[in-house]
Amino acid sequence: MALSAFGTLRLALAAERFRAGDAPFIIVSGGNVHPDRTPFNEAVEMRRALIDRFGVPAERVVLEPFARHTTTNLRNAARLLAAMKAPAGKPALIVTDRWQSGYIGSALFARRNADELGYQPGKLGARVSPTAQPFVPAAASLAVDPRDPLDP
């Protein structure tokens, strides 16, 4: 399927935050990975849904189509924010479902970042709701890992 029920829920939450003025744009991040080798690109499908189903203006949806999982979602989002000249040190807002938000804030996720990336892709702030958490990208996220053939 092009977009899961959880994916649609996450988009509804992001669109709600966008309409509330909590964010000037939305980054959608994900590759062709759910399930493995799917013909659908998660970020492309999320962008399409935000525009067509949730009415977010196309120019306000930023596409990151390479991430394989949550660790690289955050790393790649950090790179996009830097490329867009977002103010360093100013938090972005991660918006996702309750389960994923809890996972992102967990010690397990921090260990996964350390194991897979070798660093934390950013600093997490205290949750502002069960589905939203500030994220300040780390400078370490800007360096491409030449040992990882899938690091864009």
Side-chain angles (χ1 to χ4, degrees):
M1 104 180 32
L3 192 58
S4 72
F6 274 117
T8 302
L9 169 63
R10 292 170 181 161
L11 295 178
L13 293 166
E16 182 180 308
R17 288 285 182 163
F18 175 82
R19 284 191 294 276
D22 295 336
F25 56 89
I26 299 171
I27 296 175
V28 291
S29 178
N32 294 65
V33 294
H34 298 291
D36 187 33
R37 295 186 178 88
T38 181
F40 299 107
N41 180 279
E42 187 175 26
V44 169
E45 298 303 327
M46 288 189 296
R47 183 177 191 278
R48 184 182 346 263
L50 280 169
I51 295 164
D52 296 345
R53 294 166 60 182
F54 294 99
V56 176
E59 67 274 9
R60 298 299 185 164
V61 183
V62 180
L63 185 67
E64 188 293 298
F66 302 108
R68 299 184 306 267
H69 40 70
T70 309
T71 56
T72 53
N73 287 135
L74 294 182
R75 178 201 66 198
N76 295 356
R79 291 175 180 174
L80 272 175
L81 289 165
M84 295 168 63
K85 308 277 190 241
K90 185 170 182 177
L93 189 63
I94 298 170
V95 178
T96 189
D97 62 76
R98 288 174 185 254
W99 179 87
Q100 186 74 358
S101 184
Y103 173 63
I104 289 169
S106 73
L108 176 65
F109 183 63
R111 278 194 305 274
R112 184 173 180 186
N113 283 314
D115 291 346
E116 294 180 15
L117 299 176
Y119 59 89
Q120 300 303 313
K123 182 177 167 111
L124 298 169
R127 283 191 200 168
V128 296
S129 80
T131 59
Q133 186 169 19
F135 170 73
V136 177
S141 290
L142 303 180
V144 174
D145 184 351
R147 299 165 298 162
D148 182 353
L150 296 177
D151 188 352

